[in-house]
Amino acid sequence: MNSGASLSRRTLLGVLGAAAVTGAASRPATAAASPAGSSTAAAGYVLVSRQAWGADERLRFGADGTETWSPEYHPVQTLSVHHTGSPNGEADPAARVRTIYRDQAVAQGWGDIGYNYLIDAGGLVYEGRWSGTDGNAAHDAAGRLVTGAHIGGYNAGNVGIALLGNLAGTAPTAAARTALVQLLAELSVRHSIDPQREKTIYVNPVSGIMWDGHSISGHRDWAATDCPGGTLHTQLPAIRAAVAGLIAQ
């Protein structure tokens, strides 16, 4: 593991900005009408809360008021990158996040969105799967990851980050890539992950199923799929190096 994995949270504040580290502080204002206008200037990346992107929390519950998908939490082991396969260049990315949320929560019956984070072409990072009321996006108060649904059989302890758009033949925008690197760097330090580790042994804490590969990987490294798109996947080595470089600053 390289020296970046042992950086303290205090050191990371100087690298990424306080709001990218302290979960509650990184949340933008709650004006749902304009996520872009609800940024936190000190953050290395801008985190758009569920309230800000307009998540209808009623979708998480059945007709009888029971939560469809109760949250479970586990320590983070790996970081996985996806694309959503949706059209590129959409004028209202928050609307796309809401569409994905409704499809996965209602149409597919999951009870919530399956990704832990989403990133739009402008570089905004959207809070995904609901994780509680402690103000720590994607995590509980103890720093454990809420289990999402983004790679079948390998979700517990595996952070799912999805870039909006179809990146099979199109590269992510510079803003999206920068936000991805910043988010991956923050998560790597927070969870003591070496971003360039090639042989990470992942063990599902629920089922015991195992996988080994890069600590930062693409969906296709786990399963037979095009995700995260061929163009983005070919950039992953450079993205890992950029993450390591940011941490080492």
Side-chain angles (χ1 to χ4, degrees):
M1 186 171 292
N2 69 12
S3 59
S6 62
L7 283 178
S8 67
R9 287 169 63 87
R10 182 176 179 181
T11 301
L12 185 60
L13 292 176
V15 178
L16 301 179
V21 179
T22 58
S26 67
R27 293 209 173 202
T30 56
S34 179
S38 59
S39 64
T40 303
Y45 58 86
V46 178
L47 179 64
V48 182
S49 70
R50 287 174 65 94
Q51 184 174 2
W53 60 255
D56 182 352
E57 301 297 356
R58 294 172 298 180
L59 302 182
R60 296 192 293 108
F61 299 87
D64 62 354
T66 302
E67 190 172 22
T68 302
W69 183 13
S70 298
E72 296 182 1
Y73 307 90
H74 299 280
V76 170
Q77 301 178 52
T78 47
L79 311 173
S80 296
V81 179
H82 303 257
H83 74 163
T84 61
S86 50
N88 296 318
E90 293 184 304
D92 188 353
R96 173 56 61 185
V97 175
R98 291 192 295 272
T99 296
I100 295 171
Y101 171 45
R102 178 173 289 276
D103 175 67
Q104 295 182 346
V106 180
Q108 299 190 49
W110 298 353
D112 203 349
I113 193 167
Y115 303 115
N116 297 112
Y117 300 92
L118 302 95
I119 300 175
D120 71 18
L124 293 179
V125 178
Y126 295 77
E127 178 183 11
R129 169 89 162 103
W130 187 86
S131 62
T133 59
D134 57 13
N136 191 359
H139 301 75
D140 67 2
R144 299 175 302 171
L145 177 75
V146 65
T147 300
H150 53 98
I151 300 177
Y154 303 99
N155 289 301
N158 186 9
V159 180
I161 304 169
L163 275 66
L164 297 183
N166 189 326
L167 303 177
T170 301
T173 64
R177 177 171 166 150
T178 295
L180 176 62
V181 168
Q182 291 173 328
L183 176 59
L184 289 169
E186 188 257 307
L187 291 168
S188 293
V189 173
R190 192 198 303 203
H191 299 293
S192 298
I193 291 174
D194 180 348
Q196 293 191 296
R197 186 178 180 87
E198 297 182 4
K199 186 74 171 179
T200 295
I201 307 298
Y202 167 90
V203 181
N204 188 310
V206 178
S207 67
I209 190 172
M210 300 178 65
W211 172 92
D212 65 86
H214 282 282
S215 56
I216 297 175
S217 61
H219 188 175
R220 65 167 61 181
D221 298 313
W222 296 78
T225 176
D226 177 65
C227 184
T231 300
L232 175 56
H233 193 264
T234 61
Q235 293 188 3
L236 285 182
I239 288 171
R240 295 183 194 109
V243 171
L246 181 57
I247 292 172
Q249 286 182 12

Coordinates of all heavy atoms in Angstrom, one line a residue, residues 130-181:
W130 N -29.9 6.1 -0.2 CA -30.1 6.7 1.1 C -29.3 6.0 2.2 O -29.3 4.7 2.2 CB -31.6 6.7 1.4 CG -32.0 7.4 2.7 CD1 -32.3 8.8 2.8 CD2 -32.2 6.9 4.0 NE1 -32.6 9.1 4.1 CE2 -32.5 7.9 4.8 CE3 -32.0 5.6 4.5 CZ2 -32.8 7.8 6.2 CZ3 -32.2 5.4 5.9 CH2 -32.6 6.5 6.7
S131 N -28.7 6.7 3.1 CA -27.8 6.1 4.0 C -28.1 6.5 5.5 O -27.3 6.1 6.4 CB -26.3 6.4 3.7 OG -26.1 7.8 3.8
G132 N -29.1 7.3 5.7 CA -29.4 7.7 7.1 C -29.5 9.2 7.2 O -29.5 9.9 6.2
T133 N -29.6 9.7 8.4 CA -29.9 11.1 8.7 C -28.7 11.8 9.3 O -28.8 12.8 9.9 CB -31.1 11.2 9.5 OG1 -30.9 10.5 10.8 CG2 -32.4 10.7 8.8
D134 N -27.5 11.1 9.3 CA -26.3 11.7 10.0 C -25.6 12.7 9.2 O -24.6 13.2 9.6 CB -25.4 10.6 10.5 CG -24.9 9.7 9.3 OD1 -25.1 10.0 8.2 OD2 -24.4 8.6 9.6
G135 N -26.0 12.9 7.9 CA -25.3 13.9 7.1 C -24.1 13.4 6.4 O -23.3 14.1 5.8
N136 N -23.8 12.1 6.5 CA -22.6 11.5 5.9 C -23.0 10.7 4.7 O -23.4 9.5 4.8 CB -21.9 10.6 6.9 CG -20.6 10.1 6.5 OD1 -20.1 10.5 5.4 ND2 -19.9 9.4 7.4
A137 N -23.0 11.3 3.5 CA -23.5 10.7 2.3 C -22.9 9.3 2.1 O -21.7 9.1 2.2 CB -23.2 11.6 1.1
A138 N -23.7 8.3 1.8 CA -23.4 6.9 1.4 C -22.8 6.1 2.6 O -22.5 5.0 2.5 CB -22.3 6.9 0.3
H139 N -22.7 6.7 3.8 CA -22.1 6.1 5.0 C -23.0 6.3 6.2 O -23.8 7.2 6.2 CB -20.8 6.6 5.3 CG -19.8 6.5 4.2 ND1 -19.8 7.3 3.0 CD2 -18.7 5.7 4.0 CE1 -18.8 6.9 2.2 NE2 -18.1 6.0 2.8
D140 N -22.8 5.4 7.2 CA -23.5 5.6 8.5 C -22.5 6.4 9.4 O -21.4 6.8 8.9 CB -23.9 4.3 9.1 CG -22.7 3.4 9.5 OD1 -21.6 3.8 9.4 OD2 -23.0 2.3 10.0
A141 N -23.0 6.7 10.6 CA -22.2 7.5 11.5 C -20.8 6.9 11.8 O -19.9 7.6 12.2 CB -23.0 7.8 12.8
A142 N -20.7 5.6 11.7 CA -19.5 4.9 12.0 C -18.5 4.8 10.8 O -17.4 4.3 10.9 CB -19.7 3.5 12.5
G143 N -19.0 5.4 9.6 CA -18.1 5.4 8.4 C -18.3 4.2 7.6 O -17.5 4.0 6.6
R144 N -19.2 3.3 7.8 CA -19.4 2.2 7.0 C -20.3 2.5 5.8 O -21.2 3.4 5.9 CB -20.1 1.0 7.8 CG -19.2 0.6 9.0 CD -20.0 -0.5 9.8 NE -21.3 0.1 10.3 CZ -22.2 -0.6 10.9 NH1 -22.1 -1.9 11.1 NH2 -23.3 0.0 11.3
L145 N -20.1 1.8 4.7 CA -20.8 2.1 3.5 C -22.2 1.4 3.5 O -22.4 0.3 3.9 CB -20.1 1.5 2.3 CG -20.7 1.6 0.9 CD1 -20.6 3.1 0.4 CD2 -20.1 0.7 -0.1
V146 N -23.2 2.2 3.1 CA -24.5 1.6 2.9 C -24.5 0.7 1.6 O -23.9 1.1 0.6 CB -25.7 2.6 2.8 CG1 -25.5 3.5 1.5 CG2 -27.0 2.0 2.8
T147 N -25.0 -0.5 1.7 CA -25.0 -1.4 0.6 C -25.9 -0.9 -0.5 O -27.1 -0.7 -0.3 CB -25.4 -2.8 1.0 OG1 -24.5 -3.3 2.0 CG2 -25.4 -3.8 -0.1
G148 N -25.3 -0.8 -1.7 CA -26.1 -0.4 -2.9 C -26.5 -1.6 -3.7 O -26.5 -2.8 -3.3
A149 N -26.8 -1.4 -5.0 CA -27.1 -2.4 -6.0 C -26.6 -2.0 -7.3 O -27.3 -1.4 -8.1 CB -28.6 -2.7 -6.0
H150 N -25.3 -2.4 -7.6 CA -24.7 -2.0 -8.8 C -23.9 -3.1 -9.5 O -23.6 -3.0 -10.7 CB -23.8 -0.7 -8.6 CG -22.8 -0.9 -7.5 ND1 -21.5 -1.2 -7.8 CD2 -22.9 -0.7 -6.2 CE1 -20.8 -1.2 -6.6 NE2 -21.7 -1.0 -5.6
I151 N -23.5 -4.1 -8.7 CA -22.8 -5.3 -9.3 C -23.4 -6.5 -8.6 O -23.2 -6.7 -7.4 CB -21.3 -5.2 -9.1 CG1 -20.7 -4.0 -9.8 CG2 -20.7 -6.5 -9.6 CD1 -19.2 -3.8 -9.6
G152 N -24.1 -7.3 -9.3 CA -24.8 -8.5 -8.6 C -23.9 -9.4 -7.9 O -22.9 -9.9 -8.4
G153 N -24.2 -9.6 -6.6 CA -23.4 -10.5 -5.8 C -22.2 -9.8 -5.1 O -21.5 -10.4 -4.3
Y154 N -21.9 -8.5 -5.5 CA -20.7 -7.9 -5.0 C -20.9 -6.5 -4.6 O -20.2 -5.5 -4.9 CB -19.6 -7.9 -6.1 CG -19.2 -9.2 -6.6 CD1 -19.8 -9.7 -7.8 CD2 -18.3 -10.1 -5.9 CE1 -19.4 -10.9 -8.3 CE2 -18.0 -11.3 -6.5 CZ -18.5 -11.7 -7.6 OH -18.2 -13.0 -8.1
N155 N -22.0 -6.3 -3.8 CA -22.4 -4.9 -3.4 C -21.9 -4.5 -2.0 O -21.6 -3.3 -1.8 CB -23.9 -4.7 -3.6 CG -24.3 -4.7 -5.0 OD1 -23.9 -3.9 -5.8 ND2 -25.2 -5.7 -5.4
A156 N -22.0 -5.4 -1.1 CA -21.7 -5.0 0.3 C -20.2 -4.7 0.4 O -19.3 -5.4 0.0 CB -22.0 -6.2 1.2
G157 N -19.9 -3.4 0.9 CA -18.5 -3.0 1.0 C -17.9 -2.6 -0.3 O -16.7 -2.4 -0.4
N158 N -18.7 -2.4 -1.4 CA -18.2 -2.0 -2.7 C -18.9 -0.7 -3.1 O -20.1 -0.8 -3.4 CB -18.4 -3.2 -3.7 CG -17.8 -2.9 -5.0 OD1 -17.0 -2.0 -5.2 ND2 -18.2 -3.8 -6.0
V159 N -18.1 0.4 -3.2 CA -18.7 1.7 -3.5 C -19.0 1.7 -5.0 O -18.2 1.4 -5.8 CB -17.8 2.8 -3.2 CG1 -18.4 4.2 -3.5 CG2 -17.4 2.8 -1.7
G160 N -20.3 2.1 -5.3 CA -20.7 2.2 -6.7 C -20.8 3.6 -7.2 O -21.6 4.4 -6.6
I161 N -20.0 4.0 -8.1 CA -19.9 5.4 -8.6 C -20.3 5.4 -10.1 O -19.6 4.7 -10.9 CB -18.6 6.1 -8.4 CG1 -18.1 6.0 -6.9 CG2 -18.6 7.5 -8.9 CD1 -16.7 6.4 -6.7
A162 N -21.4 6.1 -10.5 CA -21.8 6.0 -11.9 C -21.7 7.4 -12.5 O -22.2 8.4 -11.9 CB -23.3 5.6 -11.9
L163 N -21.0 7.5 -13.7 CA -21.0 8.7 -14.4 C -22.2 8.7 -15.4 O -22.5 7.7 -16.0 CB -19.8 8.8 -15.3 CG -18.5 9.4 -14.6 CD1 -18.1 8.5 -13.4 CD2 -17.4 9.6 -15.6
L164 N -23.0 9.8 -15.4 CA -24.1 9.9 -16.2 C -23.7 9.9 -17.7 O -22.7 10.6 -18.1 CB -24.9 11.2 -15.9 CG -25.5 11.3 -14.5 CD1 -26.3 12.6 -14.4 CD2 -26.4 10.2 -14.2
G165 N -24.4 9.2 -18.5 CA -24.1 9.2 -20.0 C -23.7 7.9 -20.5 O -23.5 6.9 -19.7
N166 N -23.4 7.8 -21.8 CA -23.0 6.6 -22.4 C -21.5 6.8 -22.8 O -21.2 7.6 -23.7 CB -23.8 6.3 -23.7 CG -23.5 4.9 -24.2 OD1 -22.4 4.5 -24.2 ND2 -24.5 4.3 -24.8
L167 N -20.6 6.1 -22.1 CA -19.2 6.3 -22.3 C -18.5 5.1 -23.1 O -17.4 4.8 -22.9 CB -18.5 6.5 -21.0 CG -19.1 7.7 -20.2 CD1 -18.5 7.9 -18.9 CD2 -19.0 9.0 -21.0
A168 N -19.4 4.4 -23.9 CA -18.8 3.3 -24.7 C -17.9 3.8 -25.8 O -16.9 3.2 -26.1 CB -20.0 2.6 -25.3
G169 N -18.3 5.0 -26.4 CA -17.4 5.5 -27.5 C -17.1 7.0 -27.2 O -16.6 7.7 -28.1
T170 N -17.5 7.5 -26.1 CA -17.3 8.9 -25.7 C -16.6 9.0 -24.4 O -16.9 8.3 -23.5 CB -18.6 9.6 -25.6 OG1 -19.4 9.5 -26.9 CG2 -18.5 11.1 -25.3
A171 N -15.6 9.9 -24.4 CA -14.8 10.1 -23.1 C -15.6 10.9 -22.1 O -16.4 11.8 -22.6 CB -13.5 10.7 -23.4
P172 N -15.4 10.7 -20.9 CA -16.1 11.6 -19.9 C -15.5 13.0 -20.1 O -14.4 13.2 -20.5 CB -15.7 11.0 -18.5 CG -14.4 10.2 -18.8 CD -14.6 9.7 -20.2
T173 N -16.3 14.0 -19.7 CA -15.8 15.4 -19.8 C -14.7 15.6 -18.8 O -14.6 14.8 -17.9 CB -17.0 16.4 -19.5 OG1 -17.4 16.2 -18.1 CG2 -18.2 16.2 -20.4
A174 N -13.9 16.7 -19.0 CA -12.9 17.0 -18.1 C -13.4 17.2 -16.7 O -12.8 16.8 -15.7 CB -12.1 18.2 -18.6
A175 N -14.6 17.9 -16.6 CA -15.1 18.2 -15.3 C -15.6 16.9 -14.6 O -15.4 16.7 -13.4 CB -16.3 19.1 -15.5
A176 N -16.2 16.0 -15.4 CA -16.6 14.7 -14.8 C -15.5 13.9 -14.3 O -15.5 13.3 -13.2 CB -17.5 13.9 -15.8
R177 N -14.4 13.8 -15.1 CA -13.2 13.1 -14.8 C -12.6 13.7 -13.5 O -12.1 12.9 -12.6 CB -12.3 13.0 -15.9 CG -11.0 12.3 -15.6 CD -10.1 12.1 -16.8 NE -8.8 11.7 -16.5 CZ -8.0 10.9 -17.2 NH1 -8.4 10.4 -18.3 NH2 -6.8 10.6 -16.8
T178 N -12.5 15.0 -13.5 CA -11.9 15.6 -12.3 C -12.6 15.3 -11.0 O -12.0 15.0 -10.0 CB -11.8 17.1 -12.5 OG1 -10.9 17.5 -13.6 CG2 -11.3 17.8 -11.2
A179 N -14.0 15.4 -11.1 CA -14.8 15.1 -9.9 C -14.6 13.6 -9.5 O -14.6 13.3 -8.3 CB -16.2 15.4 -10.2
L180 N -14.5 12.7 -10.5 CA -14.3 11.3 -10.2 C -13.0 11.1 -9.5 O -13.0 10.3 -8.5 CB -14.4 10.5 -11.5 CG -14.1 9.0 -11.4 CD1 -15.1 8.3 -10.5 CD2 -14.0 8.3 -12.8
V181 N -12.0 11.7 -10.0 CA -10.7 11.6 -9.3 C -10.7 12.1 -7.9 O -10.2 11.5 -7.0 CB -9.6 12.3 -10.2 CG1 -8.3 12.4 -9.4 CG2 -9.3 11.6 -11.5

